[in-house]
Every structure is written in structure tokens, then in C-alpha cells.
Amino acid sequence: MRLLGISGSLSRGSRTSRLIQEVLDVAAQEPGVETDLLEVSHRGIVFCDGRPPEVYEGETRRVIDTVVAADAYVVGSPMYRGSYTGAFKNLFDLLPNDALSGKAVGLVATGGSDHHFLALEHQLRPLLSFFRAYTVPGTVYAQNAHFIGSGLADDTRVACRLLAGEVVRLARAVESGQAGPAYPVIVRRPDQQKP
Ligand SMILES: Cc1cc2nc3c(=O)[nH]c(=O)nc-3n(C[C@H](O)[C@H](O)[C@H](O)COP(=O)(O)O)c2cc1C
């Protein structure tokens, strides 16, 4: 199982990436689980400009292909203005509609305070639902008080461990890739058809 972490942070020494890495490290202890972390900050990802996902090239192409090839995900973003970052959303704008269909996803977010923890439910989860992904019910949210030096608060580490276990368990349960009935077909404008 290829479990891919996706961090929507652009900052150096990202706390969001640290949190996702913690979940990945626990998951990697499970037999057959390979993990990798994709940080939008480290890649030359262009802005989605409305073209079909197939036509992007270079680093953007490699990033799209990396996401599509994964079997399950731990997806996270810092809170920016009560939601995920623009860079995080841009990555999802670039993906084919079926990129995550029927795959398991764990959700993670960081913020400066507790105020926006529910953005996991009303911002991140609906975005993943668009892709017809299976999101694990529990989430990990950490704010400044949960980051202690280079470590994490005990309850945050426990939350990461639980999320890792649930993502792997759900990924194994939905291995068949079935995601239930299809959404209506989205027809592209004629000027945005595939070449
Ligand atoms: C532009 C900007 C907007 C932010 N908006 C929020 C916010 O709405 N709610 C919140 O809790 N924290 C907010 N923060 C704080 C970050 O979410 C927080 O510091 C986060 O842990 C940073 O994660 P990172 O280290 O992965 O970049 C904001 C930070 C920035 C730079």
C-alpha cells in the first residue's frame, strides 16, 4: 500500500508537515505500507488554469501522477483565514476528478488556536468528498500549544497514532476501489476539451 502524505503548507519547518509525518511514521510500521510526503512548497507546481489534467507537464505532471498512483492519503493544511491554503486547493484543482475515488484519506490540520478545528469538517472533508474519497471519521487538529519544541503534545501523538491505524484499516477495507454510484458526468467546455 502506497500511503501518500500531502501537506498544503508553504512555510519553512512546517508544523503541518511534521504532523503528517508523525501519522506516516506510525502507519509505516504496519506490514506492507510504504509512505512518502508530498509538500506543495517543495515543488514547482503551476497554477491550475482550466486545462484538462492530462496536458500539464514537468514538475506539475510528476506531482499529479504521484498523487494518482497512491493508494491512500494523509492530507493536511494549515488554517489560513479559516480554511486550507490556496496552494493546497490548487493541487486539488489540478487533479483528475477520479484521482482519489474509492481511496481512504485521513485529515489533518494545524492552526494558531482552537478556533478553526471544525474547518476539517466543513472545508477539508467536503473537498475530499468531491473526489469520492473515503475519509476517516476522526481527524487530527493541532495548534500552537500542541507543538512542544521539536516534539508533539502527548494527546496529539495519540491522535496521530489513532488516525494512522484507521487510515490503514480503512484503506485495506476499500481495496477494491469501489466508491458507490457515480456523480453526474461533468462535461468540459468545447474549448477545454482534451487535445
Ligand atoms: C496567512 C495566514 C492566515 C492564518 N489564518 C489562520 C486562521 O484563520 N486560523 C488559525 O487558527 N490559524 C491561522 N494561521 C496560523 C497558522 O494556521 C498556523 O501557524 C499553522 O500551524 C502554520 O502551519 P505551518 O507551520 O505548517 O505553515 C494563519 C497563518 C497565516 C500565515
Side-chain angles (χ1 to χ4, degrees):
M1 180 195 308
R2 283 166 293 188
L3 176 62
L4 181 68
I6 299 177
S7 171
S9 173
L10 293 170
S11 74
R12 287 207 189 140
S14 163
R15 289 178 163 181
T16 309
S17 298
R18 262 167 66 190
L19 205 56
I20 295 170
Q21 190 63 59
E22 175 79 14
V23 180
L24 295 178
D25 288 348
V26 176
Q29 293 168 20
E30 295 280 337
V33 177
E34 293 172 19
T35 63
D36 197 9
L37 176 62
L38 172 72
E39 295 179 286
V40 294
S41 57
H42 292 177
R43 306 281 195 143
I45 305 170
V46 300
F47 271 116
C48 176
D49 57 14
R51 288 177 296 155
E54 296 79 12
V55 304
Y56 289 89
E57 296 174 343
E59 200 57 23
T60 304
R61 168 87 272 124
R62 278 187 280 283
V63 166
I64 294 170
D65 291 345
T66 298
V67 175
V68 169
D71 303 303
Y73 308 85
V74 179
V75 160
S77 176
M79 286 297 103
Y80 275 16
R81 314 305 186 215
S83 186
Y84 36 68
T85 64
F88 179 86
K89 179 60 159 50
N90 181 56
L91 173 56
F92 285 87
D93 289 343
L94 288 162
L95 298 177
N97 290 346
D98 61 354
L100 292 87
S101 178
K103 300 181 189 176
V105 181
L107 301 176
V108 168
T110 66
S113 72
D114 282 331
H115 285 94
H116 289 128
F117 81 96
L118 280 175
L120 281 157
E121 301 303 329
H122 60 71
Q123 302 288 321
L124 276 83
R125 199 181 299 281
L127 176 62
L128 274 298
S129 295
F130 170 89
F131 288 94
R132 305 172 73 233
Y134 291 113
T135 51
V136 170
T139 58
V140 178
Y141 183 88
Q143 40 93 337
N144 290 346
H146 298 123
F147 293 92
I148 302 165
S150 58
L152 295 170
D154 287 347
D155 53 350
T156 303
R157 275 193 293 104
V158 169
C160 288
R161 182 165 53 73
L162 291 173
L163 186 69
E166 286 303 281
V167 172
V168 172
R169 200 160 70 92
L170 182 59
R172 287 186 175 140
V174 300
E175 237 166 5
S176 64
Q178 297 297 319
Y183 287 160
V185 173
I186 301 169
V187 181
R188 284 189 175 270
R189 286 175 9 202
D191 58 323
Q192 292 179 344
Q193 303 273 335
K194 294 174 193 175

